Amino acid sequence: MTIILKAQNINKKYGRTPILNGISLNVEEGQFIAIMGNSGAGKSTLLNCISGMDQPDSGKILLLDNELSRMSNRDLASFRAKNMGFIFQDFRLLEDMSLLDNLLVRGYLKQSKSDALKQANDLLDKVQLLNVKNHYPSQLSGGQKQRGAIARALMNNPEIVFADEPTGALNSAAGKQVMETLKFVNVELKTTVLMVTHDVRSASYCDQIIYLSDGKILGNLTLDYSKNISDINAFLSQKGW
Ligand SMILES: Nc1ncnc2c1ncn2[C@@H]1O[C@H](COP(=O)(O)OP(=O)(O)OP(=O)(O)O)[C@@H](O)[C@H]1O
């Protein structure tokens, strides 16, 4: 398997408080990883650092052998837009644009208008939102917004998608549909996904759980068909969840 993302010895403090303490991890192409851990463990900070949204104090992050800290701000912004997709708890769709235009804005960064339009329609079809593509975000349910945000993240075929609590603002039915969509994206569209979640059910869709505590990795659990929710709960409680 090809390792597409490497984080090596990542350290990060806010003020004098250490938040990430020597984190190293590799992400293989095609993996679907959940980062879990108690509130304040540093999960979002880790996601932000390895996706170039925030800068670690020390350590290296390489995506496809490109070292993020060696890039100028401008190059990093363009590299992120072309190679990474982002999904947030609060969706972050542009409210004054239709769903379709939300996807096209991202598509135009890397493709011709006609190719972007074709890809946007294709992705909206895959996440079952073609019938509402001209709706504005305020006209969509939370689950529809998040599936739209997933489609947006996939425009331009990113190498990796980062999701921070993608089901955090959704009820359980909408959350299930979003996780099924992310699983489809991972398995059928062969996209690597790294997700932060508090939700055990959401984590059960992944193939690996990394447990973070006080800014360190305490262990990980590989999930396969033999594992179920009670195995995940046992792993989490053993780590101090
Ligand atoms: N910009 C910031 N400035 C100062 N402290 C911060 C900042 N961002 C996060 N922190 C602190 O860093 C610690 C880790 O925060 P982080 O959001 O990474 O944790 P988390 O594991 O994602 O928590 P949660 O599950 O509650 O979202 C917390 O104590 C938080 O208060």
Side-chain angles (χ1 to χ4, degrees), residues 12-15 17-20 35-48 54 89 164-165 196-198 212:
K12 173 84 180 168
K13 286 183 181 169
Y14 282 123
T17 314
I19 306 296
L20 300 177
I35 300 173
M36 299 192 78
N38 288 323
S39 186
K43 304 180 295 294
S44 294
T45 306
L46 177 61
L47 199 79
N48 291 343
D54 199 351
Q89 179 169 347
D164 197 350
E165 298 282 2
V196 165
T197 187
H198 273 106
L212 208 64

Side-chain angles (χ1 to χ4, degrees), residues 11-145:
N11 291 286
K12 173 84 180 168
K13 286 183 181 169
Y14 282 123
R16 289 192 190 163
T17 314
I19 306 296
L20 300 177
N21 299 299
I23 298 229
S24 296
L25 64 87
N26 288 337
V27 179
E28 288 174 7
E29 190 174 25
Q31 275 195 301
F32 188 178
I33 297 180
I35 300 173
M36 299 192 78
N38 288 323
S39 186
K43 304 180 295 294
S44 294
T45 306
L46 177 61
L47 199 79
N48 291 343
C49 284
I50 58 184
S51 63
M53 222 174 320
D54 199 351
Q55 279 198 333
D57 299 327
S58 60
K60 271 191 194 173
I61 294 130
L62 296 112
L63 179 62
L64 299 171
D65 293 328
N66 297 283
E67 191 179 338
L68 302 192
S69 63
R70 288 183 179 269
M71 296 179 195
S72 67
N73 286 345
R74 197 178 158 162
D75 287 349
L76 179 61
S78 145
F79 183 80
R80 289 176 70 235
K82 290 176 181 164
N83 295 290
M84 304 178 188
F86 293 89
I87 299 163
F88 303 96
Q89 179 169 347
D90 57 0
F91 322 121
R92 301 201 197 170
L93 294 170
L94 298 170
E95 293 293 328
D96 55 354
M97 285 186 183
S98 70
L99 180 57
L100 179 64
D101 284 342
N102 266 275
L103 270 67
L104 292 176
V105 164
R106 182 168 155 79
Y108 294 159
L109 293 170
K110 205 170 161 181
Q111 312 183 60
S112 68
K113 286 194 174 182
S114 61
D115 286 350
L117 186 62
K118 188 170 176 304
Q119 188 180 31
N121 277 300
D122 181 45
L123 286 168
L124 288 171
D125 189 22
K126 288 195 163 95
V127 300
Q128 294 168 37
L129 292 174
L130 210 46
N131 57 331
V132 290
K133 69 178 181 179
N134 293 318
H135 287 206
Y136 284 74
S138 62
Q139 298 171 295
L140 302 173
S141 70
Q144 287 177 320
K145 283 185 205 175

